[in-house]
Amino acid sequence: MQRAGRRRGVSVWRAYRWWLVGVTLILIGAIVGLFFFLGHQNTTTLTNTSRSATDPQVMNNLALINDSQFSKVGTGDLSSPLRVIADRPMLRGPGGKPEFFYWGAEFCPYCAAERWPVVVALSRFGTFSRLPETISSDTDAYPNTATFTFHGSSYQSNYLDFAPVELEDREGHPLEGPTAAQQQIIGSLNPDGSIPFLDIANLYLVRGQSFDPGILAGLSQRDIALQLTDPGTPVAKSILGVANYLTAAICVATGDQPASVCKASYIQFIEKQLPRSPYAPTPSPSASLPSDLPTTALGLSALLPVVRWPRREERDRRGWGEG
């Protein structure tokens, strides 16, 4: 009897042990599944929310860039990205101010790089009250380039209107579409749909990259903004150099307003080298040229390419209509 009781006790223990093992395995499986689910959810969330508020320290660093730093950079040894648009009336925004039209996409690494000088230049004429940060696609060239996005941004200026269009998000999903007027600009001045594309009041355009995005590789948004405060860094030379070109083009459009920006001697120097559309406002008397302007300034000695608006018969043939 005693042996039989012992055997029954062993059997019960074995059954209980296997039951305990089974429950443990189920719990482990549930925990692993939960972690996998949460991990997947986090990945999805990060992918869908790759757009966030810009670090205030980044904006503070941008605000620290002063006129002497812009002057030291000049054009940063860069050739001008600007092409003059001839034979087309000025582009103006809803309030009658010159319009700066931007065409790009969040996934695009070249747009990611170009937004830096665009933001720097525009900040000299107005204020961004909202300017989200993002990174370019991780599957394109120069993956994960730190930048801003103009989707959801807000900009105010007394001197110009800013009209940005971000076509797609970082994953290639549609974001915004152009208006009929913007589509006409793209069709006539950027027929292959290249991004980034800038139209500064129908006086100058920029098509494609203005500098090598590779110099931003591995840098966070804060890293880039910090390097902009040192005019000796390659990042500052590229971004501030392009920003100075864009600033000079905007000054042409605004008739050299505000004077605190446009009358800077190095901006006047660049501006005077730019071919001018007959529709550009007449410039006011300019400041004297600096004696110490960096000679790098000025890969501008050769005339820039001219973009001419097609004659009426050519427009009719292409079906563009009146611009």
Side-chain angles (χ1 to χ4, degrees):
M1 290 291 295
Q2 191 173 8
R3 289 182 179 177
R6 288 177 180 174
R7 284 198 297 271
R8 282 197 300 274
V10 170
S11 298
V12 170
W13 165 245
R14 285 176 178 171
Y16 176 76
R17 182 179 64 185
W18 285 114
W19 178 86
L20 185 62
V21 169
V23 170
T24 302
L25 290 175
I26 291 172
L27 288 174
I28 291 173
I31 292 171
V32 170
L34 180 61
F35 274 107
F36 178 80
F37 174 78
L38 292 176
H40 178 72
Q41 288 297 102
N42 288 340
T43 301
T44 302
T45 300
L46 288 172
T47 297
N48 293 336
T49 59
S50 58
R51 197 181 304 111
S52 60
T54 292
D55 184 344
Q57 185 61 50
V58 170
M59 302 310 293
N60 288 341
N61 285 340
L62 293 183
L64 290 174
I65 305 169
N66 58 45
D67 199 61
S68 67
Q69 291 167 312
F70 282 112
S71 179
K72 287 177 182 176
V73 168
T75 60
D77 282 323
L78 298 173
S79 297
S80 174
L82 298 166
R83 299 175 63 188
V84 67
I85 304 171
D87 308 329
R88 192 168 189 186
M90 276 188 66
L91 175 65
R92 296 186 181 274
K97 294 177 286 190
E99 183 173 288
F100 189 120
F101 172 53
Y102 161 90
W103 167 263
E106 291 183 350
F107 70 83
C108 163
Y110 307 101
C111 304
E114 196 73 13
R115 288 189 205 97
W116 282 95
V118 169
V119 166
V120 171
L122 289 178
S123 295
R124 304 172 84 176
F125 296 86
T127 304
F128 283 97
S129 56
R130 287 197 305 275
L131 185 63
E133 71 169 306
T134 190
I135 52 177
S136 66
S137 170
D138 58 0
T139 60
D140 210 324
Y142 310 105
N144 301 316
T145 299
T147 186
F148 308 94
T149 175
F150 295 129
H151 181 68
S153 68
S154 180
Y155 177 77
Q156 295 293 326
S157 170
N158 293 328
Y159 306 99
L160 75 159
D161 290 325
F162 181 44
V165 176
E166 298 281 15
L167 291 169
E168 298 177 358
D169 67 14
R170 183 172 179 264
E171 306 300 321
H173 302 135
L175 276 182
E176 304 167 350
T179 64
Q182 290 168 342
Q183 187 59 62
Q184 188 177 56
I185 291 171
I186 296 161
S188 58
L189 299 178
N190 186 33
D192 60 357
S194 297
I195 55 175
F197 169 73
L198 313 176
D199 180 346
I200 304 172
N202 277 354
L203 302 178
Y204 299 97
L205 66 79
V206 176
R207 188 162 51 206
Q209 69 187 79
S210 297
F211 67 96
D212 178 13
I215 68 166
L216 307 181
L219 298 178
S220 68
Q221 196 189 45
R222 182 178 283 196
D223 293 334
I224 296 168
L226 183 60
Q227 289 199 32
L228 288 180
T229 63
D230 179 358
T233 64
V235 168
K237 288 181 178 180
S238 295
I239 292 176
L240 301 188
V242 174
N244 280 339
Y245 277 120
L246 297 180
T247 298
I250 295 171
C251 286
V252 171
T254 64
D256 283 337
Q257 295 297 319
S260 59
V261 173
C262 296
K263 292 302 185 181
S265 54
Y266 60 96
I267 294 297
Q268 283 289 301
F269 188 93
I270 297 172
E271 186 181 329
K272 283 180 174 295
Q273 311 307 310
L274 300 178
R276 298 180 71 91
S277 163
Y279 295 98
T282 302
S284 56
S286 60
S288 59
L289 300 183
S291 59
D292 59 346
L293 187 70
T295 55
T296 66
L298 311 166
L300 293 167
S301 52
L303 284 180
L304 303 176
V306 174
V307 179
R308 296 193 175 276
W309 182 241
R311 300 181 180 221
R312 179 185 297 274
E313 57 268 24
E314 179 67 7
R315 295 203 305 272
D316 292 342
R317 184 179 66 80
R318 297 188 187 184
W320 293 345
E322 293 296 329

